[in-house]
Amino acid sequence: MPTDLLGREYDAFPAPKTLEQHGPARIIAMCNQKGGVGKTTSSVNIAGALSQYGRRVLIVDFDPQGAASVALGVNANKVPNTIYTAMFNPKMDVHEVIQHTRFENLDVIPANIDLSAAEVQLVTEVGREQVLASVLRQIKDEYDLIIIDCQPSLGLLTVNALTAADGVIIPVAAEFFALRGVALLMDSIEKVKMRINPNLQVYGVLVTMYTRTLHAEEVLQRIYDAFPGRVFHTVITRSIKVADASVAAKPITMFSPQHATAKEYREVAREIVANGIVE
């Protein structure tokens, strides 16, 4: 029986079975208000791995920087519609916003700098916390998984993502400062669960940017102590190959399938399926 870096034993996660039908999607918010902890990298690569396992996956780029769009080869500044236009034009067919990537089973709703204005506009919207949920409701049955790549903040956009989501995956870098703001995020998740979305769950904490140093090992143990039973067995190690894959606008599971980080993200994808988060 394999053991993880914390010494926990677990059953090996098998390759997911082929699906005979698709949908309705499980919606996951990839969320952490601290920047640079691997949210977009994890969104793109988990999506890439699951798409290769035959799941239909949609990434909703919900960050005005548009990094997830770029990482999948979509120039959000040259497309006619983005998630911003879908949110503020209720009559728009969401299918007009979806961009099919060059990768089978993997689509994206892009975002660009226009989304930065949404925070202000949402203040005066009726049902402002549920705007994104109403957009995704139209296409939920067409996918097996929808990943919302959140921006690094706890504003109204993130509240929209938490309201639309079935659950949250929290990427946390194996660095001391990455831990400091997670308590605030958990507080926000609890408030959304109590007031708006009672079915919201925390699916797990994904440790990223791990290096084999004493500091990283101490942080890993602290993360486990803070989230007992909620830390993914698979840990994502720091690698320059991830940046190379981003430059190539490919998930690392397709850019360099045999690389250690690609294997780790495939393992995370299998763990997600084995835990029943996604069919």
Side-chain angles (χ1 to χ4, degrees):
M1 184 174 287
T3 57
D4 62 19
L5 291 174
L6 286 161
R8 297 174 296 171
E9 290 187 344
Y10 63 97
D11 293 326
F13 305 116
K17 296 178 181 178
T18 303
L19 293 178
E20 295 182 1
Q21 60 183 25
H22 298 280
R26 190 64 58 87
I27 302 176
I28 296 175
M30 196 72 65
C31 196
N32 189 331
Q33 81 272 19
K34 188 180 187 306
V37 297
K39 287 188 297 296
T40 298
T41 298
S42 296
S43 296
V44 168
N45 290 309
I46 291 171
L50 284 168
S51 70
Q52 289 181 300
Y53 285 129
R55 273 58 184 170
R56 289 182 183 165
V57 185
L58 172 69
I59 291 183
V60 179
D61 192 344
F62 215 46
D63 185 342
Q65 297 180 67
S69 305
V70 173
L72 292 171
V74 175
N75 186 340
N77 293 317
K78 293 187 176 180
V79 297
N81 297 303
T82 64
I83 186 62
Y84 173 78
T85 49
M87 289 175 68
F88 294 101
N89 183 354
K91 297 180 180 178
M92 172 174 280
D93 183 350
V94 183
H95 295 89
E96 296 178 27
V97 186
I98 295 172
Q99 297 290 314
H100 303 292
T101 70
R102 53 201 165 121
F103 313 111
E104 188 178 3
N105 295 323
L106 183 52
D107 296 339
V108 62
I109 295 181
N112 58 28
I113 196 64
D114 291 348
L115 189 60
S116 60
E119 201 89 44
V120 176
Q121 287 181 250
L122 282 169
V123 172
T124 58
E125 284 287 317
V126 175
R128 60 187 182 182
E129 297 93 351
Q130 304 191 32
V131 176
L132 179 63
S134 66
V135 171
L136 298 183
R137 200 175 296 125
Q138 303 174 48
I139 50 174
K140 188 172 182 178
D141 290 341
E142 300 171 26
Y143 293 92
D144 301 306
L145 171 64
I146 297 174
I147 296 178
I148 307 170
D149 181 35
C150 298
Q151 67 171 349
S153 82
L154 290 177
L156 267 174
L157 287 179
T158 299
V159 171
N160 261 264
L162 295 175
T163 302
D166 297 299
V168 186
I169 291 178
I170 307 172
V172 179
E175 300 169 352
F176 174 72
F177 289 110
L179 269 173
R180 296 184 65 189
V182 177
L184 285 173
L185 173 61
M186 294 301 295
D187 186 49
S188 294
I189 291 170
E190 284 303 313
K191 286 179 179 176
V192 171
K193 184 172 182 176
M194 288 173 59
R195 300 172 183 175
I196 308 171
N197 183 3
N199 297 318
L200 185 65
Q201 302 178 50
V202 176
Y203 288 142
V205 175
L206 177 64
V207 179
T208 62
M209 301 181 183
Y210 179 81
T211 54
R212 291 192 175 276
T213 62
L214 182 59
H215 174 75
E217 290 175 7
E218 289 176 352
V219 171
L220 184 62
Q221 186 61 53
R222 286 194 181 197
I223 293 171
Y224 181 69
D225 291 343
F227 302 97
R230 288 181 170 182
V231 182
F232 281 93
H233 288 287
T234 310
V235 170
I236 307 300
T237 53
R238 186 186 293 274
S239 172
I240 190 61
K241 205 72 170 180
V242 172
D244 293 341
S246 297
V247 171
K250 289 183 177 182
I252 194 169
T253 54
M254 301 171 190
F255 176 73
S256 183
Q258 298 308 312
H259 191 270
T261 307
K263 293 177 181 178
E264 289 162 1
Y265 273 115
R266 281 197 295 273
E267 184 80 359
V268 173
R270 291 198 297 270
E271 188 170 352
I272 285 171
V273 175
N275 289 342
I277 297 171
V278 176
E279 287 294 325

